[in-house]
Amino acid sequence: MMLLSGGLLALASAATTVAAEAYTVPAKANPLGEPFDGFVSYSLEFSSFPEFAGNKSHPNTYSGNLLANLARLSTTPYIRVGGNTQDYALFDASQAAALVGVVDPSRSPDYPTTITIGPAYFESYATWPVLDVRFSHGFNMGLGGNRSAGWQTLLDTVPLACRALRDGDRLYTWEYGNEPDLFSTSAQGPVRPPTWDEATYVAQWLNATRHIRESVRRNCRGTAPPRFMAPSNAGVSNHLKASAMWSAGLNQDNDIELFSTHNYISGATSPGVTLQGTLMNHTKTMQSVDAHTKEYDAIFPGARAGGKSSTSSSKAPPLIFGETNSLYNQGKPGLSNSFGAALWGVDFNLYSASVGFKRVHMHQGTNYRYQAWQPVMTALDVVGTKAPYYGSVAVAAMVRPVKKKSSLVSISAITLGADSAEAAYAAHYHPVGRKSRDEARLARVMVINMHGYNTTVGGAGLEPLPNPPARTSRKYAFAVGGAGVRDGARVRVQRLLANGSDAITGITFDGWSYNWDLDRGKPVRLHNVTVGETVRVKGGQVSVDVPDSSAVLLSFGDC
């Protein structure tokens, strides 16, 4: 099968690789793979937040529509407001504009590095009330520890943030500082000396978070004492290490609610970065994610399944990706904005869930190449839904609760073999009234075929090839009898499709489009895409054909 121009799913002459034997689906739920609600979440660049959200008088309803889609499919996303620019933002109480930013191309061409915010900035937290979106707010640590204006900004903005987030119960958590492990080495300009170390970081973090706690107590009476996501490091191999931060007493006040770490598979300008070799590569994804679980396990042995750490009497803070996406430095055109990046996002999110990550915040900002959507018109880009958003939709459909009556499903990886261009996952759920993982039932299987298929000149997603090659379709068979699925059971088939891995438009999930120009991001069912497919379980197995550069969600029964 292939997706023809305009999105038509039709049969095409193509080779089919038949699986030699059925892959085994786990019979039991994975104790590591139980995500939180809002597993599919976002991180919005601090300087871009007013554009993504709008304000009270002009809310960004397009962003609201896209978030509402995910809420209907699964659960409402959580929004982290932060990123590099939170550590450049200073407060000006007399400024009428929500944010004034100056871009210095020598430091970063993608976001301002000189920023002032006014009281109106905090109006953006009130723009999506009907969605019950919860937010985290990022305070400026970069300038807060070494400039009086930065410290005064903290003192001035805590009351504004806590009041804005208290109204309507919008508070998710707090964050003080973004990627402090890069403060002394940042390519945008160091904000700490070379002697910057974990002990100094912890001392400054504790001092500021105690001031935040006291300010919230005084200015937002009735609000619970602040809890934080931390340490929000950029990675596991930088100058400062999370393990040393923890040993230095980072959580001595017992106020870290979430262990937040950041991840990018590679860099936009790193040598050798390709769509197939870097993003559409399950082995690379596993290696990148596993480095974070290794770090977490070293600090909290035995805690990933949600229990107590063997080295602590208190429950370890759950592991999340507070910020992540494909390629750092805001992504690369032709890679991060392609359908291949959407397939990578499905694999990355589901693998993260399967190894113990409880929530994943995909980062984005205005004009960023890896963004899920462009919220406003600019000189560089038009308003529109980007390919990675469709990856979020597919993940939301995979992890959604069953009939809203049970907890979120548990995600397990299905072993397929040594091919790095494919991955599969199972989702189990606990029927109402049954708590044991042994009683969990198979709800869904996701198959991701990441073998590249390109239909544009140079793979740039712009100029179509005059004679595109035939598209290979691969047959995947799964043994589901051991997971409690009966022969003859009907299995629903939903496809994540585009013309190829290089496509940047014409993308659908189960025939739905979420494009801006159709209905401002609301779901529109396309009539030229085949939908309503089903297959049957036969001999304890279910089989499905998956074209190269596409994904399929199989749902069992009414799951």
Side-chain angles (χ1 to χ4, degrees), residues 65-97:
N65 289 340
L66 295 176
L67 294 174
N69 296 335
L70 297 170
R72 282 190 295 268
L73 277 168
S74 183
T75 55
T76 304
Y78 286 68
I79 303 297
R80 176 242 186 187
V81 178
N84 282 355
T85 55
Q86 79 182 64
D87 284 312
Y88 301 135
L90 299 175
F91 182 70
D92 182 350
S94 64
Q95 178 176 296

Side-chain angles (χ1 to χ4, degrees), residues 457-517:
V457 175
L462 300 175
E463 182 183 350
L465 287 170
N467 296 298
R471 190 172 192 170
T472 297
S473 185
R474 302 168 197 267
K475 184 178 290 293
Y476 294 84
F478 298 94
V480 296
V485 181
R486 297 188 302 271
D487 270 9
R490 182 180 64 87
V491 182
R492 184 184 182 192
V493 179
Q494 296 171 287
R495 297 182 181 275
L496 179 62
L497 283 168
N499 276 346
S501 53
D502 52 349
I504 57 176
T505 60
I507 302 161
T508 59
F509 177 73
D510 194 32
W512 294 101
S513 173
Y514 302 94
N515 284 357
W516 157 263
D517 54 355

